[in-house]
Structures are given as C-alpha cells and as structure tokens.
Amino acid sequence: MNILILGGGGREHSLAWAAAQNPKCDRLIVAPGNAGMAQIAECASIDITDAAAVAEFAVEKAVDFVIVGPEAPLAAGVSDALRDAAILVFGPSAAAAQLEASKTFTKEVCDAAHAPTARWARFTDATSAASYIRSQGAPIVVKADGLAAGKGVVVAMTEAEALAAIEDMFGGAFGSAGAEVVIEEFMEGEEASFFVLCDGEVALPIGTAQDHKRVGEGDTGPNTGGMGAYSPAPVLTDAIAQRTMDEIIFPTLREMAKRGTPYRGVLYAGLMIKDGAPRLVEYNVRFGDPECQVLMMRLGAQALDLMLAAAEGRLEDAKVQWADDHALCVVYAANGYPGSYEKGSVISGLDALPENSKNMVFHAGTAKSDGQVVAAGGRVLTVTARGNTLSEAQKHAYAMVDGIDWPEGFVRRDIGWRAL
Ligand code: AMP
Ligand code: GLY
C-alpha cells in the first residue's frame, strides 16, 4: 500500500522507520520529512495543516493510508478531510482532537466520565483568576486553554508566580490560546506516559514511557519538548496500568462516543502516579516526541499493522507482540535550545553509526546541504537504542551519541536517571 506520514520530527522519522520495515508498505511519502526520512521515503512539501490540500495530495498520489504525526493537522481537521475523501487515516477527528486542543474540554470530559484528575476552575478575566489564586494558595498550576506548543503551562510554586502567569496569559502572551485560563490543583507524584490505540470503541494499550522535559541535568532549567525518554516506565506497573484503563481511558472513550465524537488514533495519557493511584494530567491526541521513538524501537514493523487495525476498526482482534526489553533515547539539541539557536551547522559521524533494530538515530530538525547533514531546528536528532535492561539501552544510546561530531549541539548526560 501507499502510505503518507505527516510531520518532519523525530517522532515521524520513527513512524516512517517502523512502517518502512513492514512488507505491506510499497511506497512511503512523508511531508515535509527531514534528511533522515529522505533516506527511506519520498519527501513532499505541502502545508500539512491545510486539510483540503492534504486530502487533494493524498488522492493525487493514490495514498491508501495516512498517519498523522503532530497535533496541529489534527486540530485543523486533516483526518476529517481524509475520511471525507474515503482515505484511511490514523488520527482523531478535529472534534475528538479537542482532548488536546482545549484544556477546558478535557476537564469537562473527565468530570462527566468521573476520571480522576486535578480539581480545576476556568476563568476568562484576570481579576477573578487572581482572587481564586489568592483563595487557593500555592503551589498551583495555571494553564492557557488552547494549544500553546507545550509552553502554556505554569507550575507555580509561589502565589506571586501564579499571579504573574495570569498577567502574562490575559496580557496576550499566548495569543488566543490564553483568552481562557484553567487553574488547577497541583498534583504531587511521579509522571509517566501511557499510550493506547483506539478505534472508536476498543482500546489497546501499546506501551508506557517517561520523558525528561527540562533542558538541564537533574531535570532542571526551562521546559522543552523533551530531552530524552525511555520505555517501559517502571513506575507504571501492570496494576496501575489496569487502573488507568478502568478509571481513566475506558470512561473517557465512552464519554467521547456518547458525545458523538468517538476517539480514533493514539491517545497519550500523561499521568501523575502517587501511592499506586493514577490521575490524569493531560491528554495528547498523538504520540509523544521523543516517547514515540522508544515505542517504535520496541514495536518495530508491527506498529503499522496496529495503526491500520485502529484506523479500520479492527482492534478487537489485534495483539501487541512485546519483546521483553527496554529502549532509551537521547535528544541531541542545538546549543541555545529551547531559547534561540543557530541553524546550518554540519553534523558528522552519522554514517559510521549502526542502523538496525537495536540502534537508530532518528532525525528531527535536519536538512541536507551540499551532501552533508546540517542542523535545521532546535531538537535535531534522537539517538535511540534497545537493550535487555534499561542501563544497557542507556549505554548503547550514549555510545552512539559519542560517535556524533557536532560541536554546535548538546545532550543531557543523565537520561533515565529516575528509573536507574
Ligand atoms: P501539560 O502541558 O498539561 O502536560 O503540562 C506540562 C507539565 O506541567 C506536565 O507534564 C506536568 O509536569 C506539569 N503539570 C501540569 N498540570 C499539573 C498539575 N495539575 N499538577 C502538577 N503538575 C502539573
Ligand atoms: N514529549 C512530550 C510530548 O510530546 O508532549
């Protein structure tokens, strides 16, 4: 079959890598792709948030199956346009993508589903938000309602920080995403990510992971899109995974179906775990980046079969064949990230690295220039390895990192520390 993958990050490279290994994949197109994906797929330059343009392109190229990587095309209705054009798609409708695109929507769904999550209140003006913060005290969490590229959340340890966040959000720091603000109870515990495939009715857990969101070692400094991840997450025991399904995932899916917006695609639940009980921090309607890279490394070619089963409503009969192993990835980012950084520096040493089912460098922000791989983004590479133990996976990943020559980039040296 002809497959189109939307996106150009490390997540999409790992999805393309898994799909390309599956004999069902005859032709692989990615849009926009990157220098790594260009080695295994054709790259197309279309605006992936233009739903009509994506559907038209897919029809023209006789695409049989589309996998949507990031949230923006989902929120823009790309899945709907593809379904209208009778093209099979892995990804929720725009209405179901509200689970990520709107924090108030998610909170309302959780309340209706009785899914455990932080207590919350919503505000559309700064004065009442500020008086609520004063009444609740710190720590407290302030969130812009809409999509803010992961930057619309302030975990305020003091009242002053929370009040400053309110000023920022209603002052327009996040544009229309901040016109409505959610204020939440601060939840303590350990965070982990739980991934399930959904076909509108059936839900199939496909793995757990933990990521490192802060830029600095010891999980310090500003938040990023993620500096590294590993799978499985030891904190998410089988018992907690079962509670997550029973108390959070199934009730949410029932509520979504009841509203006439059944959820199809991957549902990524960010959980806070304390005393053996999971609570929902947030939903994402896509794979995490870099969590996807460790999941794909562990799933390999079967990932395509599973995504197809989800898109075709056949999850009831689907099974995940798990290797009893671990994967860990390290993000190589441009100096300065998550602040400003330069583009165009040359990355060498990649050709000498192993590329197999246990070791892969997934490209994120890379491009080709004069035959060389150059940096073209903030997060540039995801160096990913498998091992029989987490520490073995970590050792292999850092061995690959050490084979890369890129003075303009940096890595965190402690990915996995919490689990080791
Ligand atoms: P979100 O974009 O909602 O995932 O929030 C980003 C990060 O903020 C999460 O990964 C958590 O580390 C933290 N966070 C969000 N909400 C809460 C909460 N209610 N309590 C504690 N930490 C939170
Ligand atoms: N790594 C976190 C995310 O993709 O949302």
Side-chain angles (χ1 to χ4, degrees), residues 121-152:
R122 69 141 63 103
F123 297 91
T124 50
D125 73 284
T127 314
S128 38
S131 64
Y132 181 77
I133 287 169
R134 289 198 191 89
S135 75
Q136 297 292 308
I140 194 159
V141 182
V142 180
K143 301 183 174 184
D145 178 61
L147 287 175
K151 297 184 182 82

Side-chain angles (χ1 to χ4, degrees), residues 95-116:
Q98 289 292 300
L99 278 180
E100 174 164 358
S102 167
K103 310 242 182 237
T104 52
F105 177 87
T106 304
K107 285 300 196 179
E108 283 167 358
V109 168
C110 284
D111 285 354
H114 304 293

Side-chain angles (χ1 to χ4, degrees), residues 140-184:
I140 194 159
V141 182
V142 180
K143 301 183 174 184
D145 178 61
L147 287 175
K151 297 184 182 82
V153 175
V154 175
V155 179
M157 298 319 277
T158 64
E159 232 175 85
E161 267 178 87
L163 294 171
I166 288 296
E167 294 270 303
D168 275 359
M169 287 182 196
F170 286 114
F174 300 103
S176 62
E180 188 160 48
V181 164
V182 169
I183 302 180
E184 280 185 15

Side-chain angles (χ1 to χ4, degrees), residues 238-251:
D238 290 348
I240 297 177
Q242 192 57 53
R243 282 189 66 167
T244 303
M245 290 301 287
D246 294 341
E247 295 170 21
I248 300 177
I249 304 293
F250 288 134

Side-chain angles (χ1 to χ4, degrees), residues 108-110 112-113 250-261:
E108 283 167 358
V109 168
C110 284
F250 288 134
T252 298
L253 295 180
R254 278 195 296 271
E255 176 63 23
M256 292 297 285
K258 196 171 114 191
R259 289 170 176 236
T261 53

Side-chain angles (χ1 to χ4, degrees), residues 327-401:
L328 180 142
C329 70
V330 180
V331 169
Y332 221 134
N335 290 338
Y337 174 81
S340 61
Y341 49 82
E342 308 253 313
K343 294 183 182 177
S345 53
V346 173
I347 303 165
S348 19
L350 294 173
D351 289 342
L353 297 179
E355 275 198 11
N356 51 45
S357 63
K358 295 201 152 120
N359 298 275
M360 264 306 291
V361 176
F362 295 117
H363 289 226
T366 64
K368 261 285 172 67
S369 172
D370 294 332
Q372 290 179 302
V373 174
V374 298
R379 292 191 295 170
V380 172
L381 302 167
T382 324
V383 184
T384 312
R386 274 164 84 175
N388 291 326
T389 61
L390 185 60
S391 71
E392 197 184 300
Q394 186 196 50
K395 199 178 89 201
H396 293 319
Y398 281 110
M400 284 198 285
V401 166

